[in-house]
Amino acid sequence: MRLPCPLCGDRDRREFYYQGAAVTLNRPAPEADADAWDAYLHLRDNPAGETRDLWYHEAGCGAWIMVTRNTLTHEVLGAELIEGVPA
Amino acid sequence: MGYSGFRVIREGLRRRTGWTPVWRDPAPQSEYDVVIIGGGGHGLSTAYYLAKEHGITNVAVLEKGYLGGGNVGRNTTIVRANYLLPGNSEFYSHSLKLWEGMEQDLNYNTMMSQRGVLSLVHSDGQRDAFVRRGNMMISQGDDAELLDREGVRALVPLIDFDNPRFPVYGGLLHRRGGTARHDAVAWGYARAADRRGVDLIQNCEVTGIDIEGGAVRGVQTTRGPIRAKKVAIVVAGRSSQVAAMAGMRLPIESHVLQAFVSEGLKPILDTVVSFGMGHFYISQSDKGGLVFGGDLDFYASYAGRGNLPMAEHVMEAAMTLMPAIGKARVLRSWGGIMDMSPDGSPIIDTTDTAGLFLNCGWCYGGFKAVPASGFATAHLIATGQPHAPAARFRLDRFRTGRGLLDEEGTGSQHNLH
């Protein structure tokens, strides 16, 4: 699998660290209740199909990117810098 | 009719005319006491123990494909009870005891082979950790033996003992561990459950779970609706999708784990070797193929196949540990869908819906758990109470933070196990 880093172009999956589902972009407020934090930390939609997840271009430009891809086929549909993703 | 050596000879003499289908192929009834979603190892053993231990035989196992077509047929067949943490330790200990009696219990040859599981030590610190683990295993009532370098050499001469980066200092040997024929375990439980009256219904995909007033009423399937007083979700790689039918969002992320097998070779390896530092393990099947694997590919996937980076990593680890096997050709590789929980330990629990039970989160360790998982799930379904050795596999441990079972000690976070 190759991931299209918006800064570096198509790069090998080995250059990236996988963080997990993009749900982690929506961090609850510190005073949010246990259920909100549980949902943020643990609960996942875990879709069989199109998903969005976060990758860190560790061995490249150091950017955090959000990748849209298909978990059934490993097809990569796109990627964007997370600073451009609306919170 | 029971299986025996005598019968094999008799059927051979009678030109094999006396063999009959191993289980029935019933049409689904309109109602059951218990419906188990998922006809894999855990689902089938749950059905068997419901019938055997609790006398509940009005049970259907619904399988969307064929019995044992998922992870129970895709794993690397290793059976062991070498866990450290309270919660895991007693559970896998119970499971190994069930493995030891399984063939007699099921009247089925599952080719259970207690050839030992050897975990290699490459540093003083790792030896200390394994001494602790071994003591925990012994105090649980299981077996553990610390081998020095020469002890390992006597057992597995094939290893490169003087590898500059991973010199072998010794190993922790768990003699009662070993391997079993994975498909036969599914078939054995299926046949034994069928003989006790359980309906095994294949090509029957669950498409919905009926809930009324907070209680489960049945399921919708591709072969029509089926009413049920109790429903258990035991679907491993599809846990999130099936749980979503009941309005649940699970602490599960599905990953791919690859495995590999070489061409058949003469016997060269008569124990299971675990090379933890290289995330690699290997055994030799009775057919002669070297069966080996490594770590997850480490990203969410349902593809059922892996990618090249992890395949390369596994081959590199194999060459580091046992350079001689580089001459063997890899016959095939495949992947299974692992339902990964944040702390790497499973879930067997009730849910917020009355009569709906959940068995999931087996990560990459579900095969050795097949007997005890079914035993515990059946106990939970029948009595409403968790079975003691599985009592810590609670769903709410992530929300509360109490009772996390982080066997690897890497943290309770999705991308760490």
Side-chain angles (χ1 to χ4, degrees), chain B residues 76-122:
Chain B
T76 45
T77 79
I78 295 165
V79 173
R80 57 186 168 86
N82 56 355
Y83 280 70
L84 176 80
L85 294 182
N88 280 333
S89 185
E90 61 265 42
F91 175 79
Y92 291 103
S93 179
H94 179 231
S95 204
L96 185 54
K97 286 170 193 143
L98 292 174
W99 276 107
E100 289 174 326
M102 180 189 290
E103 291 178 337
Q104 293 303 316
D105 193 25
L106 301 181
N107 178 232
Y108 203 92
N109 180 11
T110 58
M111 296 168 69
M112 175 67 178
S113 165
Q114 292 180 290
R115 59 185 66 184
V117 172
L118 175 67
S119 304
L120 295 175
V121 170
H122 306 278

Side-chain angles (χ1 to χ4, degrees), chain B residues 74 257-262 292-293 304-308 310-311 314-315 330-336:
Chain B
R74 302 175 83 86
L257 179 67
Q258 300 193 60
F260 307 83
V261 66
S262 80
F292 54 98
R305 59 179 163 74
N307 259 305
L308 189 59
M310 187 49 67
V314 168
M315 301 306 159
V330 175
L331 198 60
R332 59 181 182 272
S333 70
W334 64 96

Side-chain angles (χ1 to χ4, degrees), chain B residues 83 117 122 126 150 177 207 259-260 294 302 312 320 351 387 397:
Chain B
Y83 280 70
V117 172
H122 306 278
Q126 200 185 9
E150 293 314 308
T207 55
F260 307 83
Y302 287 87
E312 269 185 2
T320 303
T351 65
H387 186 234
R397 67 180 185 267

Side-chain angles (χ1 to χ4, degrees), chain B residues 123-199:
Chain B
S123 68
D124 291 334
Q126 200 185 9
R127 184 192 289 117
D128 290 348
F130 276 173
V131 166
R132 177 175 176 232
R133 180 174 291 268
N135 283 334
M136 292 297 279
M137 290 158 64
I138 291 167
S139 66
Q140 175 58 42
D142 295 317
D143 69 289
E145 211 174 302
L146 192 69
L147 301 184
D148 62 11
R149 186 179 161 93
E150 293 314 308
V152 173
R153 198 191 297 276
L155 205 59
V156 193
L158 206 57
I159 293 171
D160 177 10
F161 285 81
D162 297 313
N163 183 287
R165 187 161 172 207
F166 299 110
V168 175
Y169 282 27
L172 187 69
L173 179 62
H174 172 42
R175 289 191 190 272
R176 283 167 62 231
T179 61
R181 170 89 163 91
H182 50 2
D183 298 314
V185 174
W187 300 332
Y189 273 114
R191 171 173 170 269
D194 176 85
R195 279 154 65 98
R196 288 177 182 268
V198 172
D199 280 0

Side-chain angles (χ1 to χ4, degrees), chain A residues 1-2 12-14 17-21 23 34-35 37-49 51 53 55 64 69-75, chain B residues 237-238 240-241 249-256 297-309 312 342 397-400 404 412-416:
Chain A
M1 189 164 75
R2 293 172 75 78
D12 192 292
R13 173 261 179 278
R14 271 169 279 212
Y17 170 80
Y18 172 73
Q19 169 66 31
V23 64
D35 287 340
W37 280 100
D38 184 38
Y40 170 73
L41 290 168
H42 306 123
L43 304 183
R44 297 290 179 261
D45 290 337
N46 195 22
T51 192
D53 41 27
W55 300 72
W64 280 93
R69 62 187 183 89
N70 189 317
T71 56
L72 285 165
T73 62
H74 292 166
E75 183 188 5
Chain B
R238 293 291 174 156
S240 295
Q241 282 73 35
R249 210 162 157 246
L250 297 182
I252 296 289
E253 190 173 271
S254 299
H255 285 244
V256 60
D297 275 31
F298 272 110
Y299 52 87
S301 167
Y302 287 87
R305 59 179 163 74
N307 259 305
L308 189 59
E312 269 185 2
R397 67 180 185 267
F398 305 103
R399 193 179 67 85
T400 64
L404 291 169
S412 180
Q413 187 177 313
H414 273 297
N415 64 346
L416 297 181

